[in-house]
Amino acid sequence: MQIVNTVSELREVIRTWRLAGENVAFVPTMGNLHAGHLQLVNEAKKTADRVIVSIFVNPAQFGIGEDFEVYPRTEREDREILDAANTDLLFLPAVGEIYAPDAKTVVTVTELSDLYCGASRPGHFSGVATVVCKLFNIVQPDAALFGLKDFQQLVVIRTMVRDLNIPVEIIGVDTVRESNGLAMSSRNGYLTGAEKSVAPKLYQSLCVARDAVLAGGQSYADIEQQAILFLQKEGFQPDYFCVCRSNDLIKATVEDADLVLLAAAKLGKTRLIDNIYFSR
Ligand code: PAF
């Protein structure tokens, strides 16, 4: 696996691949890789001749008081994982390589970025959209892969790509879960031993709500309310639990067929998010 730190080196490698007629799939990450990331790399390998992974803990998507400073940085282990997965190239830029000190341009996907996680994390999705737009311009991949675990992020990115005519195919990859149902996430490492046994109840609440939606007979507001009460009883501090349309994340009505249940809740100091999407 080649490792490059600068945009110019990266572009040179990609240029030789392109000259050989090869196409490129891209997996942007913030590192601390787990089985969910590996799934993205494996899917990327099915999609293109060459796979690039980036590891960049993007300061622009962390708010004041959030975990930017302590976000797990495990570069050596990540390199070994990516090498073993036959990644072609790891892009590992420093902050100064991505952001000019006097950068003045921000990409914001309006409205969508203010909902759900965006309401509790102001500026987060502008930070994500800006860095992903920049990485797309740097790598110019044919396809880019993102986990469905961050469903709102995926919808924000798809919307940005559509609105800005960015020539890249966005591929969403299913969430990888622990055997107890807990969605894999770098932030699971913040959970204490006791919290780890409670955390899977977030997914449980989503499964119960999905079954209630499919069974019919209850309003979506009631289903959401029951899920919130269940999570509170189990020791979470729920942020939101919503039945939404999966394409634009507007609150769903009984007329809508393609749905996603979005949930976020704090367990101790750790903010967990998860979702289930399905059709009825
Ligand atoms: O999902 C992530 O790890 C990050 O939000 C992303 C897409 C790599 C942008 O920094």
Side-chain angles (χ1 to χ4, degrees), residues 6-278:
T6 65
V7 173
S8 58
E9 284 173 287
L10 176 68
R11 287 202 165 135
E12 188 47 36
V13 177
I14 296 172
R15 198 179 67 81
T16 60
W17 292 347
R18 293 286 185 199
L19 281 174
E22 293 175 319
N23 59 5
V24 175
F26 177 44
V27 180
T29 81
M30 298 207 301
N32 193 234
L33 304 179
H34 50 66
H37 296 108
L38 258 188
Q39 180 85 341
L40 298 177
V41 174
N42 290 334
E43 288 301 317
K45 288 169 70 68
K46 294 184 197 158
T47 312
D49 304 306
R50 298 288 188 169
V51 174
I52 298 180
V53 175
S54 63
I55 296 182
F56 179 64
V57 184
N58 172 34
Q61 68 188 75
F62 290 80
I64 294 161
E66 288 191 352
D67 54 346
F68 174 68
E69 300 299 340
V70 295
Y71 194 84
R73 286 156 174 90
T74 51
E75 195 186 302
R76 193 161 45 82
E77 292 86 339
D78 291 349
R79 275 201 238 175
E80 284 168 11
I81 290 171
L82 292 173
D83 205 18
N86 292 323
T87 305
D88 292 285
L89 187 143
L90 169 60
F91 180 45
L92 208 53
V95 173
E97 186 68 15
I98 297 295
Y99 294 111
D102 59 345
K104 293 179 178 56
T105 308
V106 170
V107 179
T108 298
V109 177
T110 55
E111 296 172 22
L112 255 180
S113 296
D114 299 328
L115 304 171
Y116 314 116
C117 282
S120 323
R121 304 186 67 192
H124 168 68
F125 286 114
S126 292
V128 170
T130 303
V131 82
V132 171
C133 183
K134 285 169 69 67
L135 290 167
F136 284 172
N137 286 331
I138 292 166
V139 177
Q140 301 187 354
D142 298 280
L145 294 91
F146 295 87
L148 283 159
K149 149 98 175 14
D150 296 311
F151 201 94
Q152 187 177 6
Q153 168 172 281
L154 182 66
V155 176
V156 166
I157 291 167
R158 279 193 199 286
T159 307
M160 172 187 78
V161 162
R162 182 201 67 187
D163 292 352
L164 299 182
N165 302 90
I166 303 178
V168 61
E169 182 193 357
I170 301 299
I171 300 174
V173 177
D174 276 335
T175 304
V176 178
R177 297 182 181 281
E178 309 273 2
S179 54
N180 59 18
L182 178 64
M184 298 249 181
S185 163
S186 300
R187 289 192 168 98
N188 291 351
Y190 298 154
L191 294 167
T192 64
E195 288 164 356
K196 274 193 185 123
S197 56
V198 177
K201 295 192 191 261
L202 181 60
Y203 181 56
Q204 201 180 311
S205 72
L206 286 162
C207 293
V208 170
R210 175 201 52 204
D211 293 347
V213 168
L214 290 173
Q218 282 185 83
S219 75
Y220 291 167
D222 282 351
I223 293 170
E224 290 165 354
Q225 189 55 26
Q226 280 160 24
I228 298 266
L229 291 174
F230 168 79
L231 289 170
Q232 282 170 338
K233 188 171 70 66
E234 296 296 339
F236 292 84
Q237 291 166 264
D239 181 357
Y240 59 81
F241 194 106
C242 287
V243 187
C244 308
R245 304 199 308 214
S246 59
N247 63 332
D248 58 9
L249 306 189
I250 305 261
K251 279 197 149 227
T253 70
V254 282
E255 311 293 309
D256 296 310
D258 295 320
L259 304 177
V260 60
L261 302 183
L262 296 177
K266 266 184 113 176
L267 190 55
K269 291 191 167 66
T270 311
R271 190 167 187 280
L272 299 173
I273 61 171
D274 202 352
N275 66 79
I276 297 190
Y277 66 98
F278 58 101

